[in-house]
Amino acid sequence: MGVRILVVEDSWAIANSLKRLLLLMGADVVGPAATIAEAERLIAEHTPDVALVDIHLRGGERAFGLIDRLHDKGIPVIVTTGYSAVPSASGKVVAILEKPISMALLLDTLRPVITTTAAR
């Protein structure tokens, strides 16, 4: 795969599962980050090619501002959420995946994003 993917997720179990899956796929995984501050630090240190971002983070933080900043930097964002509707993210994200996320759906969603990113 050869793509750097930022994981922003406050659930250790979900973040760890995502990281393991992405590493098996050959991705360079940045994170996981459980807060906006952690995510911002990781972005400054390792600019990702794509980001998987949960909307609700540790301490009640909402990731909408982070999604805006990633979008402004041209970094594709895939939202992972337990909610069926995320209106504030529409137009700024590649996809919204409702948890629990199947491996097949995640791969199907990542594949075109990675292809487009690699072509830049």
Side-chain angles (χ1 to χ4, degrees):
M1 182 188 286
V3 65
R4 182 175 290 153
I5 301 175
L6 171 67
V7 175
V8 183
E9 170 63 59
D10 65 328
S11 165
W12 181 87
I14 294 171
N16 192 44
S17 294
L18 283 171
K19 183 173 184 172
R20 285 193 350 251
L21 173 64
L22 295 169
L23 288 171
L24 285 172
M25 292 171 31
D28 178 14
V29 179
V30 179
T35 65
I36 303 283
E38 289 174 18
E40 296 283 2
R41 180 184 56 78
L42 290 171
I43 293 165
E45 293 173 2
H46 312 279
T47 304
D49 297 308
V50 64
L52 296 175
V53 180
D54 185 11
I55 292 293
H56 298 279
L57 300 173
R58 187 171 294 154
E61 288 184 326
R62 304 278 176 127
F64 297 115
L66 176 63
I67 291 168
D68 289 344
R69 287 187 291 286
L70 288 165
H71 175 76
D72 292 346
K73 291 181 180 210
I75 299 168
V77 176
I78 297 170
V79 168
T80 60
T81 183
Y83 297 92
S84 59
V86 186
S88 299
S90 66
K92 296 185 179 181
V93 300
V94 174
I96 298 172
L97 303 180
E98 191 174 348
K99 296 176 192 174
I101 304 164
S102 74
M103 183 171 67
L105 178 59
L106 179 61
L107 294 175
D108 286 348
T109 305
L110 277 172
R111 198 168 287 117
V113 174
I114 292 166
T115 302
T116 302
T117 301
R120 285 194 247 161

